Amino acid sequence: ANVPNPFNPSTRIAFDLARPGRVRLQVYGLDGRLVRVLADGDLPAGRHAYVWDGCADDGRPQASGVYLLRLATPDGAHTGRMTMLK
């Protein structure tokens, strides 16, 4: 889950891993385009947190709206919604 939600200008995404493994944490627009990759690699078990600053991978600020957050771990994938308000 991300906190706060809705957010402006940034939000914190925290999750727990029960065991070590490869993790991908991505932000998508509602149109399905990949906006930002926040994590992509091996992480140890335990608590992890990342901050999304509302920008795309190329640094461009994104528009207000609803975005999808996708977390893929060795135990499965989870998707959530977050809203950026400017």
Side-chain angles (χ1 to χ4, degrees):
N2 67 298
V3 176
N5 191 18
F7 67 94
N8 178 17
S10 65
T11 188
R12 182 175 184 269
I13 302 138
F15 57 92
D16 294 306
L17 286 180
R19 59 190 172 105
R22 183 171 176 85
V23 171
R24 278 188 62 89
L25 180 60
Q26 302 164 299
V27 177
Y28 288 89
L30 282 181
D31 59 1
R33 72 184 165 86
L34 178 62
V35 173
R36 183 86 180 256
V37 177
L38 297 172
D40 184 14
D42 292 326
L43 292 177
R47 186 113 176 119
H48 301 276
Y50 293 84
V51 173
W52 183 44
D53 61 2
C55 293
D57 276 331
D58 64 5
R60 288 181 299 124
Q62 298 300 290
S64 295
V66 176
Y67 292 85
L68 300 176
L69 177 66
R70 185 172 192 277
L71 173 66
T73 71
D75 295 323
H78 306 279
T79 304
R81 296 169 75 98
M82 51 190 179
T83 304
M84 180 167 44
L85 298 176
K86 291 188 177 180

